[in-house]
Amino acid sequence: MQMINSYSAVSLLQMQTDTLERLGAAQTLYIYGAGGAGKTLLHLLKKNAIKISGFLDSNAARDGNVVEGVVVQHVKNVNLTGSVVIVASMFYREIVKSFQTELSNAKELLFYFNYIEHEEHFFLAKEELTKADTLLSRLADDESRQILNSLLSYRATLNKFFLDSIVSAPQYFCTLPAAVDYSIFYDVGAFTGDTLESMKQQYIFPRQVICFEPDPKNFGVLSTHAADQNVELHKLAVGSQNGVIQFASTSLGYSSKVSNAGSECVNQVTLDTFCQGQAPLPTYLKIDVEGSDLDVLVGATDVLSRCRPTIAVSIYHLPEHLYTIPLWIIDNLTDYSVYIRHHRDSIYETICYAIPNENVKK
């Protein structure tokens, strides 16, 4: 796998230029899925003067509908021979499996995975690659550098091959060249307890788990884990400031987040404030809060410096988080080794692991 340097940054931009030119020259170009991801992709292509031939859908009732000025067609009613098809749906696995015959006729099958926010930054810019290049030299191992390159290569090409080649498991508990202390486990963005379940599956049993989850519905499900005496639950958001904030709950649950457009108000605390009381100090800090991940770190600067926990923080909610969060850790925490691992065959579930150097195996 080619590493990112001054030359490969140019190569990535050239890969992206080639991709956009190829899409623009396609005789027929379809987007599978006319939902949020499909419409965002349509806007991105329009910005690059690329026209599409139509949306594809599996629902016969939508056949003939017009979305953003583009006709929706049932996938089985379209001859895809020689076409370029970009699948833009979170159900990409089911789509490929259900319509394997139809999609196999396409000249090229690509995949667009939508970011929750800041979709306009999906395609690479020279300034972004300059920052990624800075991060590259400061990552702790070659695997991290390969993953960074593959994630950027996917965004330049929409080719899922680059993602399929870097998936590792299990998330939060993958093998790293370090001694990791899980004894006091902080789960910031605990959702419905999926990390707790994964912990048990990996036979990891911390002395104390402290969970933070502000979404009322998620918290209700999470509360079923309260029977475990070592699990402490807090219906709180965690961020860079204390106070009451606006929050947007969603029917999906996992995409609920802090948002000025939110209709609910929830209490938010910084980890520096939370840890001033009688709470045990974290040895492992997991953060997955739908785009507010850097805010959590900023609000924990003191406790991170004092306790030096292992950090596992999501860096995929915003495109720029891929480099801004690891660089923040490197610039603000002394003697930490920073790794990147990727845990899903899509753009989601990229995690930055930061480990105190005294725990890294030489």
Side-chain angles (χ1 to χ4, degrees), residues 83-109:
S83 299
V84 176
V85 177
I86 308 176
V87 177
S89 171
M90 64 182 295
F91 303 109
Y92 57 97
R93 297 186 189 91
E94 295 84 348
I95 289 168
V96 172
K97 182 178 180 180
S98 298
F99 300 103
Q100 185 174 7
T101 300
E102 289 80 5
L103 293 175
S104 66
N105 292 325
K107 179 181 179 181
E108 192 170 10
L109 182 62

Side-chain angles (χ1 to χ4, degrees), residues 60-119:
R62 296 179 184 143
D63 192 37
N65 287 357
V66 177
V67 175
E68 306 250 346
V70 177
V71 177
V72 179
Q73 302 172 72
H74 193 280
V75 63
K76 290 194 173 184
N77 295 339
V78 181
N79 182 359
L80 296 177
T81 302
S83 299
V84 176
V85 177
I86 308 176
V87 177
S89 171
M90 64 182 295
F91 303 109
Y92 57 97
R93 297 186 189 91
E94 295 84 348
I95 289 168
V96 172
K97 182 178 180 180
S98 298
F99 300 103
Q100 185 174 7
T101 300
E102 289 80 5
L103 293 175
S104 66
N105 292 325
K107 179 181 179 181
E108 192 170 10
L109 182 62
L110 303 174
F111 295 82
Y112 171 74
F113 298 109
N114 199 25
Y115 281 100
I116 293 174
E117 291 185 37
H118 296 199
E119 296 94 340

